[in-house]
Amino acid sequence: MMNDELKRQAAAMALTQVKPGMRLGLGTGSTARHFVDLLGVQVAAGFACICVPTSEATARQAAALNIPLSDLDTLDRLDITIDGADEIDPQLNLIKGAGGALLREKIVAAASDLMIVIADDSKLVDALGQFPLPIEVNRFGLGATRRAVALVCAAHDCAGALRLRQTSDGDSYVTDGGHLILDAFFGRISQPEALSTDLLNIAGVVQHGLFLKMCKKAYVAGADGVRTLSNGN
Ligand code: 5RP
């Protein structure tokens, strides 16, 4: 089965958790896009909800589907955020941010009572780090921040490069918040909590793509159907 069909199946399962009147966080990426599409069909049929998007791309998609949108200035808390992931470990710790939306994704997930991740089973890993870890940094002082990030990565046994993310045109990739992204190719992240702390201690680091103890439930689709993974953290 194609990955895209699996992503849609995981998204459809998450939709079963959404009740009328809920306040939802809408993730970013190809899997979250399926969820927004499916939610749009429900909304067109009269389903009531209010949603906070995690990127300008998701906001545009949701607006085109007439999904009611709000923000975290207006809403204190959200009931559920539904989002994709780049890697999911056995404790449901995640790497996110391939789509560059990690900062808003983390803010929205942190403001939600429940974060549900939807994915195809290629995202399951024994340990995080095969996928490059996105580190969002301020444009100002990039050189100094990059050197500090490189030192932290080396101290955490980063096996590979630290690359400034670029667009296909060769320009620096700029996030919705106007920041840049450094992608760190670890190979394996053995102490994610300590790495998180060390990265956030660097002045120019805005956020990183480690989502630790944030996700309590995941719907992961594979050839045998959609599995529900959960943990009580
Ligand atoms: C965007 C993300 C995405 O959720 C993550 O990259 C997964 O994307 P996809 O569903 O396309 O595989 O974190 O910042």
Side-chain angles (χ1 to χ4, degrees):
M1 205 179 301
M2 295 293 287
N3 271 15
D4 200 52
E5 173 54 25
L6 298 179
K7 290 175 180 187
R8 193 168 183 89
Q9 288 179 10
M13 190 66 105
L15 193 66
T16 66
Q17 302 302 297
V18 176
K19 308 291 177 241
M22 274 189 167
R23 298 154 300 171
L24 302 174
L26 302 178
T28 295
S30 57
T31 319
R33 197 176 305 129
H34 281 302
F35 178 81
V36 176
D37 276 341
L38 294 170
L39 183 65
V41 172
Q42 297 290 101
V43 167
F47 186 86
C49 60
I50 183 92
C51 300
V52 175
T54 55
S55 64
E56 298 300 326
T58 298
R60 281 193 296 275
Q61 182 197 3
L65 293 166
N66 297 315
I67 294 173
L69 296 179
S70 187
D71 54 49
L72 292 176
D73 302 322
T74 311
L75 303 176
D76 285 344
R77 295 286 301 168
L78 303 177
D79 296 296
I80 309 178
T81 283
I82 300 96
D83 203 349
D86 302 308
E87 283 189 343
I88 307 168
D89 83 0
Q91 287 75 44
L92 304 191
N93 292 317
L94 315 169
I95 285 182
K96 286 183 53 53
L102 59 136
L103 175 59
R104 293 188 188 184
E105 289 172 337
K106 199 176 274 191
I107 291 170
V108 171
S112 303
D113 294 340
L114 176 65
M115 179 188 195
I116 296 179
V117 159
I118 50 179
D120 66 84
D121 61 3
S122 71
K123 304 295 181 67
L124 294 174
V125 296
D126 292 334
L128 300 176
Q130 279 294 323
F131 196 90
L133 176 68
I135 302 162
E136 186 158 346
V137 298
N138 204 288
R139 281 168 179 255
F140 180 84
L142 174 64
T145 302
R146 187 176 186 155
R147 286 190 287 279
V149 169
L151 285 175
V152 164
C153 290
H156 285 269
D157 300 324
C158 183
L162 180 66
R163 291 199 192 124
L164 182 65
R165 192 179 293 186
Q166 296 188 322
T167 66
S168 50
D169 297 334
D171 299 323
S172 296
Y173 176 90
V174 179
T175 68
D176 284 344
H179 306 125
L180 306 176
I181 290 186
L182 297 169
D183 286 305
F185 292 72
F186 275 88
R188 185 183 181 94
I189 297 173
S190 49
Q191 293 186 293
E193 296 276 2
L195 175 61
S196 169
T197 303
D198 289 348
L199 287 173
L200 293 176
N201 277 340
I202 298 170
V205 168
V206 179
Q207 195 46 263
H208 57 67
L210 286 170
F211 283 52
L212 306 178
K213 298 183 180 168
M214 295 187 82
C215 172
K216 294 194 179 64
K217 191 184 265 193
Y219 292 119
V220 179
D224 298 332
V226 181
R227 276 198 291 157
T228 305
L229 308 179
S230 44
N231 91 30
N233 62 37

Coordinates of all heavy atoms in Angstrom, one line a residue, residues 63-106:
A63 N -8.7 27.3 5.7 CA -9.5 28.4 5.3 C -10.3 28.1 4.0 O -11.5 28.4 3.8 CB -8.7 29.7 5.1
A64 N -9.5 27.5 3.0 CA -10.2 27.1 1.8 C -11.3 26.1 2.0 O -12.2 26.0 1.1 CB -9.1 26.5 0.8
L65 N -11.2 25.3 3.1 CA -12.3 24.3 3.4 C -13.3 24.9 4.3 O -14.2 24.1 4.8 CB -11.6 23.1 4.0 CG -10.7 22.3 3.0 CD1 -9.8 21.3 3.8 CD2 -11.5 21.6 2.0
N66 N -13.2 26.2 4.6 CA -14.2 26.8 5.5 C -14.2 26.3 6.9 O -15.2 26.3 7.6 CB -15.6 26.8 4.9 CG -15.7 27.5 3.6 OD1 -15.2 28.6 3.5 ND2 -16.3 26.9 2.6
I67 N -13.0 25.8 7.3 CA -12.9 25.3 8.7 C -12.7 26.6 9.6 O -11.8 27.4 9.3 CB -11.7 24.4 8.8 CG1 -12.0 23.1 8.1 CG2 -11.4 24.1 10.3 CD1 -10.8 22.1 8.0
P68 N -13.5 26.7 10.6 CA -13.4 27.9 11.5 C -12.0 28.0 12.2 O -11.6 27.0 12.8 CB -14.5 27.8 12.5 CG -15.5 26.8 11.9 CD -14.6 25.9 11.0
L69 N -11.3 29.1 12.1 CA -10.0 29.2 12.6 C -9.9 30.3 13.7 O -10.7 31.2 13.7 CB -9.0 29.6 11.5 CG -8.8 28.6 10.4 CD1 -7.8 29.1 9.4 CD2 -8.4 27.3 11.0
S70 N -9.0 30.0 14.7 CA -8.8 31.0 15.7 C -7.3 31.0 16.1 O -6.5 30.5 15.3 CB -9.6 30.6 17.0 OG -9.6 31.6 17.9
D71 N -7.0 31.5 17.2 CA -5.5 31.5 17.6 C -5.4 31.4 19.1 O -6.4 31.3 19.8 CB -4.9 32.8 17.1 CG -5.6 34.0 17.6 OD1 -5.9 34.1 18.8 OD2 -5.9 34.9 16.8
L72 N -4.2 31.3 19.6 CA -4.0 31.0 21.0 C -4.0 32.3 21.8 O -3.8 32.3 23.1 CB -2.7 30.3 21.2 CG -2.7 28.8 20.7 CD1 -1.3 28.2 20.8 CD2 -3.8 28.0 21.4
D73 N -4.3 33.5 21.2 CA -4.6 34.7 22.0 C -6.1 34.6 22.4 O -6.4 35.1 23.5 CB -4.3 35.9 21.1 CG -2.9 36.0 20.7 OD1 -2.0 35.6 21.5 OD2 -2.6 36.4 19.5
T74 N -6.9 34.1 21.5 CA -8.3 34.0 21.7 C -8.7 32.8 22.6 O -9.5 32.9 23.5 CB -9.1 34.0 20.4 OG1 -8.6 35.0 19.5 CG2 -10.6 34.1 20.6
L75 N -8.1 31.7 22.3 CA -8.4 30.4 23.0 C -7.3 30.2 24.0 O -6.1 30.2 23.7 CB -8.5 29.3 22.0 CG -9.5 29.4 20.9 CD1 -9.4 28.2 20.0 CD2 -10.9 29.5 21.5
D76 N -7.7 29.8 25.3 CA -6.7 29.5 26.3 C -6.1 28.2 26.1 O -4.9 28.0 26.1 CB -7.4 29.5 27.7 CG -7.7 30.8 28.2 OD1 -7.2 31.8 27.7 OD2 -8.5 30.9 29.1
R77 N -6.9 27.2 25.8 CA -6.5 25.8 25.7 C -7.2 25.1 24.5 O -8.3 25.6 24.1 CB -6.9 25.0 27.0 CG -6.2 25.4 28.2 CD -4.7 25.0 28.3 NE -4.5 23.5 28.2 CZ -3.3 23.0 28.0 NH1 -2.2 23.7 27.9 NH2 -3.2 21.7 27.9
L78 N -6.6 24.1 24.0 CA -7.2 23.3 23.0 C -7.5 21.9 23.5 O -6.8 21.4 24.5 CB -6.3 23.2 21.8 CG -5.8 24.5 21.2 CD1 -4.8 24.3 20.0 CD2 -7.0 25.3 20.7
D79 N -8.5 21.2 22.9 CA -8.8 19.9 23.4 C -7.7 18.9 22.8 O -7.1 18.1 23.6 CB -10.2 19.5 22.9 CG -11.2 20.3 23.6 OD1 -11.3 20.3 24.8 OD2 -11.9 21.1 22.9
I80 N -7.6 18.9 21.5 CA -6.7 17.9 20.9 C -5.9 18.6 19.8 O -6.4 19.4 19.0 CB -7.4 16.7 20.2 CG1 -8.4 16.1 21.2 CG2 -6.5 15.7 19.7 CD1 -9.2 14.9 20.6
T81 N -4.6 18.3 19.7 CA -3.8 18.6 18.5 C -3.5 17.4 17.7 O -3.1 16.3 18.3 CB -2.5 19.3 18.9 OG1 -2.8 20.7 19.2 CG2 -1.5 19.3 17.7
I82 N -3.8 17.4 16.4 CA -3.5 16.2 15.6 C -2.4 16.6 14.6 O -2.5 17.6 13.8 CB -4.8 15.8 14.8 CG1 -5.9 15.4 15.8 CG2 -4.4 14.6 13.9 CD1 -6.9 16.5 16.0
D83 N -1.3 15.9 14.6 CA -0.1 16.3 13.8 C 0.7 15.1 13.4 O 0.5 14.0 14.0 CB 0.8 17.2 14.7 CG 1.6 18.1 13.9 OD1 1.7 17.9 12.6 OD2 2.2 19.1 14.4
G84 N 1.5 15.3 12.4 CA 2.4 14.2 11.9 C 3.7 14.2 12.7 O 3.9 15.0 13.6
A85 N 4.6 13.3 12.3 CA 5.9 13.3 12.9 C 6.9 12.7 11.9 O 6.5 12.0 11.0 CB 5.9 12.4 14.2
D86 N 8.2 13.0 12.1 CA 9.2 12.4 11.3 C 9.8 11.1 11.9 O 10.2 10.2 11.1 CB 10.4 13.5 11.1 CG 9.8 14.7 10.5 OD1 9.1 14.6 9.4 OD2 10.0 15.8 11.0
E87 N 9.8 11.1 13.2 CA 10.2 9.8 13.9 C 9.4 9.7 15.2 O 9.1 10.7 15.8 CB 11.7 9.9 14.3 CG 12.7 9.6 13.1 CD 14.1 9.4 13.6 OE1 14.5 9.8 14.7 OE2 14.9 8.9 12.8
I88 N 9.1 8.5 15.5 CA 8.3 8.2 16.7 C 9.1 7.0 17.4 O 9.2 5.9 16.9 CB 6.9 7.7 16.4 CG1 6.2 8.7 15.5 CG2 6.1 7.4 17.6 CD1 4.9 8.1 14.8
D89 N 9.5 7.3 18.7 CA 10.2 6.2 19.4 C 9.2 5.4 20.2 O 8.0 5.8 20.3 CB 11.4 6.8 20.2 CG 11.1 7.3 21.5 OD1 9.9 7.3 21.9 OD2 12.0 7.8 22.2
P90 N 9.6 4.3 20.9 CA 8.7 3.5 21.7 C 7.9 4.2 22.8 O 6.9 3.8 23.2 CB 9.5 2.4 22.2 CG 10.7 2.3 21.2 CD 11.0 3.7 20.8
Q91 N 8.5 5.3 23.3 CA 7.8 6.1 24.4 C 7.0 7.2 23.8 O 6.5 8.1 24.5 CB 8.9 6.7 25.3 CG 9.5 5.7 26.3 CD 10.6 4.8 25.6 OE1 11.4 5.3 24.8 NE2 10.5 3.6 25.8
L92 N 6.9 7.2 22.5 CA 6.2 8.3 21.7 C 6.9 9.6 21.8 O 6.2 10.7 21.8 CB 4.7 8.4 22.1 CG 3.8 7.1 22.0 CD1 2.4 7.5 22.2 CD2 4.1 6.4 20.7
N93 N 8.2 9.6 22.1 CA 8.9 10.8 21.8 C 9.1 11.0 20.3 O 9.2 10.0 19.6 CB 10.3 10.7 22.5 CG 10.1 10.7 24.0 OD1 9.3 11.5 24.6 ND2 10.8 9.9 24.7
L94 N 9.2 12.2 19.9 CA 9.2 12.5 18.4 C 10.3 13.4 18.0 O 10.9 14.2 18.7 CB 7.9 13.3 18.1 CG 6.6 12.8 18.7 CD1 5.5 13.9 18.5 CD2 6.2 11.5 18.2
I95 N 10.7 13.2 16.7 CA 11.3 14.3 16.0 C 10.3 14.8 15.0 O 9.6 14.1 14.3 CB 12.6 13.8 15.2 CG1 13.8 13.6 16.2 CG2 13.0 14.8 14.1 CD1 15.1 13.2 15.5
K96 N 10.2 16.2 15.0 CA 9.3 16.8 14.1 C 10.1 18.0 13.5 O 11.1 18.4 14.0 CB 8.1 17.4 14.8 CG 7.1 16.3 15.2 CD 5.8 16.8 15.8 CE 5.1 17.9 15.1 NZ 4.8 17.6 13.7
G97 N 9.5 18.5 12.3 CA 10.0 19.8 11.8 C 10.6 19.7 10.4 O 11.1 20.6 9.9
A98 N 10.4 18.5 9.7 CA 10.8 18.4 8.3 C 10.1 19.5 7.5 O 10.7 20.0 6.6 CB 10.6 17.0 7.8
G99 N 8.9 19.8 7.9 CA 8.1 20.8 7.2 C 8.4 22.2 7.7 O 7.8 23.1 7.2
G100 N 9.3 22.3 8.6 CA 9.7 23.6 9.1 C 8.7 24.3 10.1 O 8.9 25.5 10.4
A101 N 7.7 23.6 10.5 CA 6.7 24.2 11.4 C 6.9 23.9 12.9 O 6.0 24.1 13.6 CB 5.3 23.8 10.9
L102 N 8.1 23.4 13.2 CA 8.2 22.9 14.6 C 7.9 23.8 15.7 O 7.3 23.4 16.7 CB 9.7 22.4 14.8 CG 10.8 23.4 14.6 CD1 11.8 23.2 15.7 CD2 11.4 23.1 13.2
L103 N 8.2 25.1 15.5 CA 8.0 26.1 16.6 C 6.5 26.2 16.9 O 6.0 26.0 18.0 CB 8.6 27.4 16.3 CG 8.3 28.5 17.3 CD1 8.8 28.2 18.7 CD2 8.9 29.9 16.8
R104 N 5.7 26.5 15.9 CA 4.2 26.6 16.1 C 3.6 25.3 16.5 O 2.7 25.3 17.3 CB 3.6 27.2 14.8 CG 4.0 28.7 14.5 CD 3.2 29.3 13.4 NE 3.8 30.6 13.1 CZ 3.3 31.4 12.2 NH1 2.1 31.1 11.6 NH2 3.8 32.6 12.0
E105 N 4.2 24.2 15.9 CA 3.6 22.9 16.3 C 3.8 22.6 17.7 O 3.0 22.1 18.4 CB 4.3 21.8 15.4 CG 3.9 21.8 14.0 CD 4.7 20.9 13.1 OE1 5.9 20.5 13.5 OE2 4.2 20.5 12.0
K106 N 5.0 23.0 18.3 CA 5.3 22.8 19.7 C 4.4 23.7 20.6 O 3.9 23.3 21.6 CB 6.7 22.9 20.0 CG 7.1 22.2 21.3 CD 8.6 22.3 21.6 CE 9.4 21.1 20.9 NZ 10.8 21.0 21.4

